[in-house]
Amino acid sequence: MEEKVNNNGQHSKVDNPFKKGCNPSYVTARSKLQQKRSRLNDDIIKELRLRRGAENLLRATGNKEIKEKVLIELGFVKSKLEVLRGDLAELNSSVKTYQNENSSQSVPMITLGLKETKDTNFQTVFMDYIEEHYSESGSLYSQPIDKLHALRKAIRTPERSEAGIELLITYYNQLGLIQKRFYPPGRSVPVYFTWYDSLTGVHITQKTLGYEKGSVLFNIGALYSQLGTAQDRGSVSGLDKAIDYYQRSAGVLKYLRDRFTHAPSRDMSTDTLTLLIQLMLSQAQECVYERMILNLGPSTKFSDCIVFSQEAAMVASMYEETHNAVSSKSVRNDVPASWLTITIMKSNHYLAMAHYYLASALLTSKELLPSFNEIVEMLEKVTKRDAKSSKHIQYTEDKARQRLYCRSHLNYVISLNETAEKDYSFCRMLRSNDDVFLNVLHTAQENAQTLLDKVSDERDFEDIFVSATPIVPKSTQLVQITVSDFSKFKVEDFFADLGPISVFSAQHEWTSPRTVKLTKDEKNGFGFTIKGDVPSVVIEVEEHSSAQTNAILDSTGQGMKVDDILVAVDGVNVKCKKLKDIKALIMSEGSSVELTLVTPMTPTSKPTIDITTSGTVRSMNSSSSSNDMHQLGDTMTGTWRNKMKSLTFLKTKKSPSESLRKK
């Protein structure tokens, strides 16, 4: 339930029609985390205002005593800000909350938190615009505006489910319709949107609809990442879903990055989004590796271990790229410090697993091993041995040399796992979570040590002169970005009564509505012809007919003309009615009828239309960039000029349903 203020200033309870996919009660651990993040954001805003005020006072005053007090207060404020931002970073590092309970033995994943927002009021601005542009009473559209408010309120607390995704996409698609209805090109609309940076907690307020759409897109990508992490990675079906969700998260974030070049907040900057895309793909590839291990089980076959080795090397390679992105100067100070540790830990861990499986393959029982020549041929494909390096030894038929070759890989495994454990011990934020990752590292270390003990001998001193041969990363299923099809989510046009959006939109202009009164002539009837459904257009006014000579003109001095759009019949809105229904309505009025008409105004510039392979039509005016915020995701279904051509200028023989003349 929510409160609504009626015309008498009284509060009344109304149901939110968008309950599906919405979780306003904060009942889950994730929701409690979001609630805590929201409180931290508010505290950060309060301290930022205090700091701004103190800095202004410091510049304005000349009193030495006041300056000393302000400097002391400013120091307290800055310290408080550091503490709050540390708390927020710790929340963003909380991996335990988002994990599936059945995945307690799996390596934890990084999940994106949702951006928080404040309420926005569309009512005054939209009502005024309806009266100004559409020449209708804004009060007639109070209910559609209330529905828009209810939908926006619902998307602030989406469920971690497919229904939550659908709710966010529904609002995003609704914003596309709102943009066409109320946002004319080149004109600012004073509706302000406030969103909090999900990483830094700083709030940004802008009045561009593109900022609102971009923030919703970010939350769709973040919610996909939470759905991926919530899957049961102990089952093949759960891993399949996790892969799909991470790929979809990367797809939404890429769409946002490619169309959002002037980000006002750090979490939506190009560098940050590039990092998040790489992170989502790395986690999807990690799930591919886990699914392979789950499918084949603890296999000791030579061929299986070789595949495991290259698959793990691919995951390690992708996490190394992610770590490099996190380490870059442009994002390092914005993302949680634990991300830096987790990504390098995972890179080291999966690289260790790659070398472990390679050693396991070579230590398979002799009965299961292929011939020596086949092993050498396989190793040449799987590893990148530097023939000029004395440390990269070659696998030979000598048994002692073979054991040394295996020890070089196992020693490297132990070294990598020790480095990962050391990184873990230095990260306070990871230690505050449970020790799942640490347990995984310990298990891997024990397995490697057990295998190393089998091949150790008295000549172990040779190990210090050799190093493991690098493994070539390769995957049986290299993950790719998945682009979600938002068009399959149908959205209701809340303002459909304004008329078909292809004609009655903020991009088009027409004259003020005028009313003409026609009297039926005994020979020619009313004497005009209309054509087309939604809307119907006057295509002919016959000479010497009632429509031409007997029309009672309005104050503008204009009667009925060719190309006029019929908007009302005797006060009944017919913008969205079909031709047959309009004809029946006119003929039912008897010998006279009052018609309300508007005349389309010639546009000053005709946009270029680009039809993409997906069937989407978007504006490609040279005077504005498609990457600008106010055009983010903007699509068009056609232009008025194209529509008028199909309705007005395609002259055909009139059928009885098109002509309103008395027979």
Side-chain angles (χ1 to χ4, degrees):
M1 299 287 286
E2 62 179 284
E3 286 193 353
K4 175 185 174 183
V5 181
N6 57 29
N7 295 332
N8 297 324
Q10 298 176 338
H11 292 262
S12 59
K13 298 286 185 177
V14 294
D15 285 326
N16 190 327
F18 302 101
K19 292 180 179 179
K20 184 179 179 182
C22 173
N23 177 26
S25 57
Y26 295 97
V27 294
T28 65
R30 177 193 68 88
S31 297
K32 292 177 181 178
L33 201 65
Q34 283 295 128
Q35 190 178 26
K36 189 174 181 180
R37 182 180 283 110
S38 179
R39 288 198 298 268
L40 279 174
N41 287 333
D42 290 338
D43 290 341
I44 289 174
I45 287 178
K46 186 188 299 181
E47 296 302 321
L48 285 173
R49 288 173 178 169
L50 287 174
R51 187 182 70 176
R52 191 180 304 116
E55 290 172 345
N56 291 338
L57 181 58
L58 192 63
R59 287 191 294 266
T61 185
N63 188 302
K64 185 177 180 180
E65 184 178 352
I66 293 178
K67 278 189 174 183
E68 290 177 354
K69 292 182 179 180
V70 171
L71 285 173
I72 294 173
E73 185 64 30
L74 199 55
F76 287 139
V77 171
K78 289 181 178 179
S79 299
K80 183 70 176 296
L81 269 175
E82 290 300 320
V83 172
L84 290 173
R85 284 173 174 168
D87 291 342
L88 185 62
E90 188 170 352
L91 279 182
N92 289 328
S93 303
S94 178
V95 293
K96 180 180 178 181
T97 304
Y98 297 96
Q99 311 301 316
N100 185 283
E101 294 179 357
N102 297 327
S103 301
S104 58
Q105 300 305 312
S106 301
V107 178
M109 298 292 193
I110 295 175
T111 302
L112 306 181
L114 300 182
K115 291 172 71 71
E116 296 286 338
T117 184
K118 290 184 175 181
D119 286 334
T120 297
N121 192 346
F122 299 96
Q123 187 168 11
T124 302
V125 175
F126 280 12
M127 283 187 173
D128 289 345
Y129 189 78
I130 288 171
E131 294 182 0
E132 173 196 340
H133 186 70
Y134 295 96
S135 301
E136 295 191 39
S137 173
S139 61
L140 297 176
Y141 293 89
S142 60
Q143 186 174 357
I145 293 174
D146 287 343
K147 291 178 71 174
L148 180 61
H149 284 150
L151 177 56
R152 192 180 189 279
K153 184 173 183 178
I155 62 105
R156 294 180 61 179
T157 54
E159 288 181 356
R160 189 171 61 169
S161 65
E162 287 283 357
I165 293 289
E166 183 176 352
L167 180 67
L168 287 169
I169 294 178
T170 298
Y171 180 63
Y172 177 80
N173 288 342
Q174 184 65 234
L175 289 176
L177 298 178
I178 295 300
Q179 184 170 8
K180 294 176 183 178
R181 293 285 192 192
F182 298 101
Y183 284 77
R187 177 177 169 182
S188 178
V189 178
V191 176
Y192 292 87
F193 304 100
T194 299
W195 288 85
Y196 294 88
D197 190 306
S198 67
L199 299 175
T200 66
V202 177
H203 77 292
I204 304 290
T205 300
Q206 288 200 349
K207 58 180 179 180
T208 54
L209 194 66
Y211 178 48
E212 176 86 344
K213 297 171 78 172
S215 298
V216 175
L217 279 176
F218 183 93
N219 276 359
I220 294 173
L223 194 54
Y224 269 132
S225 76
Q226 294 180 11
L227 287 175
T229 305
Q231 301 308 308
D232 179 11
R233 286 156 54 210
S235 65
V236 174
S237 61
L239 285 167
D240 285 337
K241 290 180 180 178
I243 293 169
D244 180 59
Y245 284 135
Y246 286 133
Q247 290 180 138
R248 289 185 182 279
S249 176
V252 173
L253 295 173
K254 182 178 184 299
Y255 182 87
L256 174 59
R257 182 195 66 183
D258 294 345
R259 289 160 176 79
F260 207 123
T261 57
H262 306 292
S265 59
R266 295 300 306 155
D267 58 354
M268 293 194 291
S269 67
T270 300
D271 291 338
T272 302
L273 291 173
T274 300
L275 158 64
L276 298 180
I277 293 166
Q278 180 63 36
L279 175 62
M280 293 301 111
L281 292 178
S282 298
Q283 295 187 153
Q285 195 68 53
E286 184 178 356
C287 291
V288 171
Y289 165 81
E290 290 179 341
R291 185 183 61 186
M292 178 176 291
I293 298 296
L294 192 63
N295 277 333
L296 297 178
S299 175
T300 56
K301 290 177 60 178
F302 178 83
S303 58
D304 288 344
C305 288
I306 291 296
V307 173
F308 293 163
S309 175
Q310 289 194 289
E311 195 75 54
M314 176 58 72
V315 179
S317 174
M318 294 187 68
Y319 270 115
E320 183 179 11
E321 290 182 26
T322 306
H323 176 72
N324 292 337
V326 177
S327 304
S328 64
K329 293 182 180 179
S330 58
V331 301
R332 183 168 185 169
N333 294 329
D334 297 322
V335 300
S338 62
W339 288 17
L340 197 67
T341 305
I342 290 175
T343 51
I344 193 61
M345 283 174 59
K346 286 195 173 187
S347 178
N348 287 333
H349 168 66
Y350 285 108
L351 186 58
M353 295 305 299
H355 288 272
Y356 171 79
Y357 279 117
L358 182 61
S360 298
L362 297 174
L363 294 175
T364 304
S365 59
K366 295 181 179 179
E367 295 79 9
L368 299 177
L369 275 174
S371 66
F372 172 77
N373 291 334
E374 290 175 331
I375 293 176
V376 172
E377 183 180 355
M378 179 65 74
L379 290 178
E380 288 179 352
K381 294 180 180 179
V382 173
T383 61
K384 296 181 290 187
R385 189 178 70 87
D386 186 357
K388 297 180 180 180
S389 174
S390 59
K391 288 192 173 184
H392 290 172
I393 64 172
Q394 190 171 4
Y395 189 82
T396 65
E397 291 187 273
D398 181 63
K399 300 301 182 183
R401 200 72 171 170
Q402 290 179 6
R403 287 195 295 272
L404 179 60
Y405 186 90
C406 292
R407 288 202 304 274
S408 69
H409 287 279
L410 291 172
N411 284 327
Y412 190 41
V413 171
I414 291 174
S415 174
L416 288 170
N417 279 328
E418 287 176 348
T419 302
E421 289 184 21
K422 186 181 298 183
D423 290 334
Y424 181 92
S425 65
F426 288 147
C427 185
R428 178 182 63 84
M429 295 178 185
L430 282 180
R431 295 199 311 270
S432 63
N433 292 280
D434 55 17
D435 297 330
V436 173
F437 203 165
L438 191 60
N439 294 336
V440 171
L441 293 175
H442 285 166
T443 301
Q445 190 78 320
E446 290 172 2
N447 293 338
Q449 188 62 54
T450 301
L451 209 57
L452 181 62
D453 292 340
K454 293 181 180 180
V455 292
S456 298
D457 56 29
E458 66 279 2
R459 292 184 294 178
D460 284 357
F461 66 90
E462 292 181 313
D463 294 359
I464 63 176
F465 300 108
V466 298
S467 59
T469 309
I471 298 173
V472 178
K474 184 180 179 181
S475 176
T476 57
Q477 180 189 339
L478 189 61
V479 296
Q480 296 178 341
I481 289 174
T482 300
V483 180
S484 300
D485 183 12
F486 285 10
S487 63
K488 70 179 183 180
F489 296 92
K490 302 303 179 183
V491 59
E492 174 193 358
D493 185 357
F494 294 160
F495 300 89
D497 287 345
L498 290 174
I501 202 167
S502 57
V503 178
F504 295 96
S505 70
Q507 298 175 354
H508 305 135
E509 298 287 341
W510 50 88
T511 61
S512 298
R514 62 185 187 279
T515 301
V516 297
K517 185 174 182 180
L518 304 183
T519 304
K520 186 183 295 184
D521 184 87
E522 293 184 359
K523 292 184 178 180
N524 297 319
F526 291 113
F528 67 93
T529 305
I530 59 175
K531 183 180 181 180
D533 285 331
V534 190
S536 293
V537 181
V538 177
I539 64 170
E540 184 179 355
V541 178
E542 296 192 4
E543 295 184 3
H544 310 299
S545 66
S546 174
Q548 184 185 54
T549 61
N550 297 333
I552 300 177
L553 307 183
D554 68 345
S555 59
T556 63
Q558 300 180 32
M560 177 177 285
K561 301 184 299 184
V562 173
D563 290 352
D564 282 349
I565 302 174
L566 189 59
V567 297
V569 176
D570 281 340
V572 178
N573 190 333
V574 296
K575 293 178 184 177
C576 299
K577 289 186 178 295
K578 293 186 176 181
L579 183 63
K580 62 179 182 179
D581 298 326
I582 295 176
K583 179 184 176 183
L585 185 61
I586 292 176
M587 300 307 291
S588 67
E589 296 300 321
S591 59
S592 65
V593 63
E594 288 188 1
L595 305 179
T596 303
L597 308 165
V598 295
T599 303
M601 298 174 65
T602 304
T604 56
S605 61
K606 185 177 180 180
T608 303
I609 299 300
D610 170 40
I611 302 180
T612 65
T613 55
S614 63
T616 301
V617 186
R618 62 174 182 266
S619 174
M620 298 292 289
N621 280 352
S622 59
S623 60
S624 58
S625 170
S626 60
N627 288 330
D628 286 342
M629 289 194 42
H630 67 274
Q631 288 185 336
L632 177 65
D634 184 29
T635 58
M636 297 174 60
T637 56
T639 65
W640 164 246
R641 188 55 52 190
N642 292 338
K643 185 75 173 177
M644 285 302 297
K645 183 176 180 181
S646 65
L647 294 176
T648 306
F649 302 112
L650 299 179
K651 296 291 186 178
T652 58
K653 185 177 179 180
K654 296 184 290 294
S655 66
S657 63
E658 296 171 330
S659 183
L660 294 172
R661 287 177 287 177
K662 182 178 179 181
K663 293 187 177 181

